[in-house]
Amino acid sequence: WTTKEGYGDSNFLWRQSSSDVGASHVEPALKGLLEAAIAENDVELHAPNLLGVPHLIRVGSDDTAVHPWWSRRMLRVARGAAAAAAAPPDVHLTELKGLQHWWWDTRAPNDGGALNDAEMRNFFAR
């Protein structure tokens, strides 16, 4: 997910107060002020700050906590920021088939899982 305010039901009040059709009576200047107050949480706005920092995005294909679509979207945002800056993109996505949000075993029992399997060790060794 790229913004807390837009993630599932984690901030129902914000979504209802700013995006709901019932809030169409809200003065545009006030809505703009409220949205500006949380702009710092928008990772898409900050993607250009990450240029030159290697990134490995990993997600399980069966993740029900944070859908893999969000990881794919962040990959596109990071690559777009690199393209806009004419910089080489150093961001990679691995979508692991059949795994959910957290896993202990990637390919073999006790291989390090989400944080310390061979792919992670190779990434950190670069």
Side-chain angles (χ1 to χ4, degrees):
W1 49 280
T2 56
T3 63
K4 168 124 178 69
E5 291 72 26
Y7 177 61
D9 290 333
S10 69
N11 201 335
F12 181 75
L13 180 61
W14 172 262
R15 191 175 70 241
Q16 290 296 62
S17 63
S18 67
S19 303
D20 191 82
V21 70
S24 60
H25 64 279
V26 175
E27 180 183 354
L30 175 59
K31 184 176 179 184
L33 179 66
L34 292 171
E35 290 176 350
I38 61 163
E40 66 183 294
N41 300 333
D42 191 342
V43 297
E44 293 178 358
L45 294 176
H46 301 292
N49 294 339
L50 300 174
L51 292 175
V53 178
H55 283 76
L56 175 61
I57 303 169
R58 303 178 82 203
V59 64
S61 66
D62 294 344
D63 193 334
T64 57
V66 180
H67 194 278
W69 181 87
W70 291 105
S71 297
R72 295 180 211 129
R73 179 177 176 174
M74 199 60 228
L75 176 70
R76 290 190 301 270
V77 167
R79 286 183 175 169
D90 195 2
V91 60
H92 309 278
L93 170 68
T94 301
E95 195 167 322
L96 296 140
K97 185 170 178 55
L99 297 179
Q100 294 189 13
H101 188 69
W102 190 259
W103 61 90
W104 295 111
D105 308 320
T106 301
R107 307 227 189 289
N110 296 317
D111 67 359
L115 296 177
N116 196 30
D117 63 6
E119 182 178 25
M120 291 299 293
R121 291 190 298 272
N122 290 335
F123 177 76
F124 288 126
R126 301 182 345 163

